[in-house]
Amino acid sequence: MQSNPPVPHSATVDDKGIHVTTAAGKSRTYSGGEVMTLTQVIDLADGSATLCQASTETCLELVDESVKLAGDCDALIAEITAKGVGANLIGKCEVLKEQLDLQASAAKELHYKIQDGEETCRTASANAELRHGPIFRAVADSPLTKPAERDFYNAR
């Protein structure tokens, strides 16, 4: 037997949010962004996964652009070398090429990290539906409009 059994809270909803009052008389208002339905959680996870997917594509585009520009730097260095123009310009082109290589490497690493984030969001969405979907639908489809009294849940 529990020494302090759970006590139900009362809640009201209006245009300012959800107002919850505990049995001890403490109250708190949730703006709506803090209390989410299962559908909102799934939609948020799916939306985040879609955003991650778009970001990974942007990272890959950045990798391609960096590699292309690094190749242009190589061609420019070869042309400058063939013409015998100053070593200072060649040094600056080599530094630029190194920076482009670093940028490509960082974008590729970020691509993999965001891809992992996308997978995590999709997994969270699927798990939320799998674990909580049936009870959520049962409650949503129920004709009852308020929870049962505590004795109902404590009955064995």
Side-chain angles (χ1 to χ4, degrees):
M1 178 170 220
Q2 282 182 319
S3 59
N4 294 320
V7 178
H9 300 322
S10 66
T12 58
V13 179
D14 62 20
D15 59 339
K16 294 180 182 171
I18 300 169
H19 308 284
V20 177
T21 305
T22 68
K26 295 182 180 179
S27 65
R28 175 161 181 191
T29 299
Y30 296 91
S31 67
E34 299 164 353
V35 177
M36 300 177 78
T37 66
L38 180 64
T39 305
Q40 290 171 321
V41 169
I42 291 170
D43 289 347
L44 179 64
D46 287 341
S48 297
T50 302
L51 180 62
C52 286
Q53 184 179 14
S55 298
T56 60
E57 291 167 5
T58 302
C59 286
L60 290 177
E61 290 170 5
L62 183 57
V63 169
D64 292 343
E65 185 67 20
S66 297
V67 168
K68 180 187 173 295
L69 289 173
D72 290 347
C73 281
D74 281 336
L76 185 59
I77 290 169
E79 187 178 327
I80 293 170
T81 303
K83 291 185 179 181
V85 181
N88 189 26
L89 183 57
I90 293 173
K92 289 184 180 188
C93 287
E94 287 174 347
V95 168
L96 179 58
K97 182 186 178 308
E98 289 173 12
Q99 292 299 312
L100 288 166
D101 289 340
L102 287 173
Q103 178 175 295
S105 176
K108 193 177 289 187
E109 182 179 334
L110 187 58
H111 162 75
Y112 291 124
K113 287 181 179 180
I114 294 173
Q115 213 171 25
D116 288 345
E118 177 186 358
E119 184 179 335
T120 300
C121 289
R122 293 205 190 280
T123 301
S125 175
N127 284 345
E129 174 60 33
L130 180 69
R131 293 180 181 159
H132 305 287
I135 191 69
F136 177 78
R137 280 187 294 286
V139 170
D141 294 342
S142 172
L144 302 176
T145 58
K146 64 181 184 175
E149 295 296 322
R150 183 174 29 157
D151 294 339
F152 172 81
Y153 298 107
N154 291 334
R156 295 192 186 243

